[in-house]
Amino acid sequence: MTAILTTKNLSKDFGGFKAVNDVSLEIKKGYIHALIGPNGAGKTTFFNLLTRFLPATAGEIIFNGRNVSSRCSATLAKDGLVRSFQVSAIFPNLTLLENVRIALQRKTKISLHFWRSLSQLNKLDDEAYALLELVNLEQHAHSLAANLPYGLKRALELVTTLAMQPDLMLLDEPTQGMGHEDVEKVTALIKKVAQGRTVLMVEHNMQVVSSIADSITVLARGAVLAEGSYQEVASNRLVMEAYMGSSAAVGGA
């Protein structure tokens, strides 16, 4: 299986503290790859390095066969490496349709033509509706995003991420702060939108990870502790100790 993203000895130091320590990782095309670990393991910092929100202290990032270690965040997004955030990054005072159209503008020649009439964007409506329908939000197309319940806001963020036509979707804690019912719905949506795509996700909920992840990397103290299937990492003694300080199973974390 071809790798879409590879890191080689990626590291990030903050003074004398190593937040990410010599991480070499391979994400295979078409996989849902989960990045897990206890609090403070360096997961979000690693995401910030991949998307160049933070410069690495050392190491390389290879995306689609090219070294992108020195590219800026905006260029990476244009290249197809698109991320979500722990806090929903949507425009609350715009409708769902308008949120998706903004994301769709990236591939047009009018993305920065703010002086043109909004009617110029109507040509994007059919595609925006189709994306909303993919996650069962089409009936809310003309509602303000601010009025959505939290779980649907996360679903909208998935749609706007998809509208960027990513080769690799990076999802940072997509089910954080959700109730059980919303977790199940968003998990199902991730699995649905991931078909034919590649996803790297940071996630604390082990039920979510066990149900959709094809491959898992465990970070602890900024370094790779274990890799493999859920069954492999859940039975790894070092992983158990990192999560629980005992021989308790990861599934109970």
Side-chain angles (χ1 to χ4, degrees):
M1 188 70 69
T2 305
I4 190 170
L5 183 138
T6 303
T7 66
K8 298 180 179 179
N9 308 113
L10 200 61
S11 299
K12 179 61 180 178
D13 298 350
F14 293 101
F17 174 68
K18 281 191 172 292
V20 173
N21 186 9
D22 203 32
V23 173
S24 294
L25 183 66
E26 184 176 274
I27 309 299
K28 294 182 174 64
K29 284 185 178 178
Y31 272 38
I32 299 178
H33 193 118
L35 188 65
I36 69 172
N39 289 333
K43 303 182 295 297
T44 295
T45 301
F46 184 72
F47 255 37
N48 286 334
L49 295 179
L50 291 183
T51 50
R52 297 286 297 154
F53 280 80
L54 284 174
T57 303
E60 294 182 344
I61 304 166
I62 310 298
F63 177 57
N64 272 334
R66 292 180 294 176
N67 190 322
V68 297
S69 305
S70 60
R71 288 179 179 259
C72 70
S73 300
T75 301
L76 274 179
K78 290 178 181 179
D79 288 343
L81 199 160
V82 181
R83 70 173 293 180
S84 69
F85 295 84
Q86 290 183 16
V87 178
S88 292
I90 59 175
F91 296 100
N93 295 320
L94 297 181
T95 67
L96 275 65
L97 182 67
E98 290 167 338
N99 268 272
V100 180
R101 287 197 316 193
I102 287 173
L104 287 171
Q105 286 181 65
R106 182 184 70 87
K107 63 181 181 180
T108 72
K109 295 181 180 179
I110 60 173
S111 60
L112 297 178
H113 294 182
F114 55 85
W115 59 87
R116 292 195 176 186
S117 169
L118 282 175
S119 62
Q120 293 286 319
L121 299 179
N122 291 343
K123 65 184 72 175
L124 301 174
D125 283 358
D126 288 346
E127 190 173 355
Y129 275 115
L131 286 166
L132 289 170
E133 187 175 0
L134 184 64
V135 295
N136 303 315
L137 285 178
E138 69 278 7
Q139 68 271 29
H140 302 291
H142 297 287
S143 300
L144 288 181
N147 296 333
L148 291 178
Y150 182 70
L152 293 186
K153 287 179 181 177
R154 299 300 278 183
L156 175 60
E157 189 173 16
L158 272 178
V159 174
T160 56
T161 304
L162 278 177
M164 298 284 285
Q165 298 182 332
D167 291 329
L168 174 59
M169 295 173 61
L170 275 63
L171 306 179
D172 194 359
E173 299 282 3
T175 68
Q176 185 182 46
M178 291 184 183
H180 180 71
E181 184 176 342
D182 281 339
V183 167
E184 289 185 346
K185 289 179 180 178
V186 171
T187 301
L189 289 178
I190 293 170
K191 191 170 185 178
K192 183 177 182 179
V193 302
Q195 293 179 16
R197 298 179 176 88
T198 308
V199 175
L200 174 61
M201 60 187 290
V202 168
E203 182 55 62
H204 273 105
N205 189 315
M206 290 300 105
Q207 290 184 336
V208 173
V209 171
S210 65
S211 65
I212 64 173
D214 300 303
S215 184
I216 299 169
T217 297
V218 186
L219 290 185
R221 298 179 181 177
V224 174
L225 184 64
E227 290 184 301
S229 67
Y230 179 79
Q231 290 74 22
E232 289 170 331
V233 300
S235 60
N236 186 299
R237 178 181 58 81
L238 294 176
V239 175
M240 295 177 188
E241 291 176 355
Y243 267 90
M244 305 297 291
S246 69
S247 59
V250 174

